[in-house]
């Protein structure tokens, strides 16, 4: 009902790790090869049994390049910033649209330009541009592809 929750020392930090500062920090730290290497096996262990949905900027290119279904979900920076800004404001955070847009563009540039696991569309991934799609339309599009693959595999 509340989705996956993240706990640290028994404290639910699920909302606290979704702030603009944490997103920027994660992008900065993840550019370090030692950090990426340490987290890679943990990520693979989490999804090894299958039947999982994972999201992240290198899940399809590095963590699970052989995943059965991969998507490259995108939208214009302005639309992503508007969506993020609305989410943050709804949570009571005091951020401007301009700040949010700058954060989105800064993170994209850093992630696309990093030497280790740069942001890019994975081979075999389906491009889903949600710029002009609602959440329901985006999910429906992705679910249709998952069902295609499942039926082709006999599942």
């Amino acid at each position: 009902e509340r989705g996956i929750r993240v706990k640290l020392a028994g404290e639910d930090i699920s909302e606290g790790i979704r702030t603009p500062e944490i997103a920027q920090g994660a992008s900065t730290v993840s550019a370090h090869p030692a950090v990426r290497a340490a987290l890679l096996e943990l990520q693979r262990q989490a999804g090894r049994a299958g039947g999982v949905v994972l999201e992240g900027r290198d899940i399809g290119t590095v963590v699970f390049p052989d995943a059965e279904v991969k998507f490259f979900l995108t939208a214009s920076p302005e639309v992503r910033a508007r969506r993020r800004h609305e989410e943050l404001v709804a949570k009571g955070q005091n951020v401007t649209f301009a700040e949010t847009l700058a954060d989105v563009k800064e993170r994209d540039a850093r992630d696309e330009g990093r030497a280790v696991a740069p942001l890019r569309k994975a081979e075999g991934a389906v491009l889903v541009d949600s710029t002009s799609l609602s959440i329901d339309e985006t999910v429906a599009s992705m679910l249709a592809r998952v069902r295609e693959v499942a039926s082709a595999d006999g599942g």
Side-chain angles (χ1 to χ4, degrees), residues 104-151:
V104 165
K105 288 180 176 181
E106 179 183 330
R107 183 174 180 197
D108 285 353
R110 184 173 44 250
D111 290 355
E112 289 168 358
R114 67 183 174 218
V116 178
L119 172 62
R120 63 179 172 82
K121 180 179 172 277
E123 183 178 327
V126 175
L127 177 66
V128 178
D129 186 339
S130 69
T131 299
S132 60
L133 301 176
S134 69
I135 291 173
D136 290 340
E137 291 168 326
T138 302
V139 170
S141 166
M142 297 169 81
L143 187 55
R145 176 64 182 144
V146 170
R147 286 183 175 143
E148 284 176 26
V149 171
S151 66

Side-chain angles (χ1 to χ4, degrees), residues 2-31:
R2 294 184 327 168
I4 293 176
R5 309 308 293 172
V6 178
K7 292 187 177 187
L8 177 64
E11 180 184 350
D12 187 336
I13 60 167
S14 305
E15 298 300 321
I17 62 172
R18 297 280 301 150
T19 65
E21 295 81 15
I22 295 297
Q24 290 296 342
S27 176
T28 300
V29 169
S30 68

Side-chain angles (χ1 to χ4, degrees), residues 31-96:
H32 296 282
V35 172
R36 297 198 77 76
L39 292 175
L40 182 60
E41 185 55 30
L42 289 174
Q43 292 172 305
R44 287 183 173 158
Q45 284 176 7
R48 190 164 280 134
V52 297
V53 175
L54 302 170
E55 64 90 21
R57 291 186 163 208
D58 70 345
I59 296 297
T61 55
V62 176
V63 182
F64 290 103
D66 298 323
E68 294 172 271
V69 181
K70 296 182 275 189
F71 298 100
F72 188 80
L73 182 61
T74 190
S76 72
E78 293 76 16
V79 167
R80 289 186 294 123
R82 178 184 50 78
R83 291 171 179 165
R84 182 75 172 135
H85 181 254
E86 288 172 0
E87 176 186 356
L88 294 170
V89 169
K91 291 179 180 179
Q93 295 192 27
N94 185 21
V95 294
T96 67

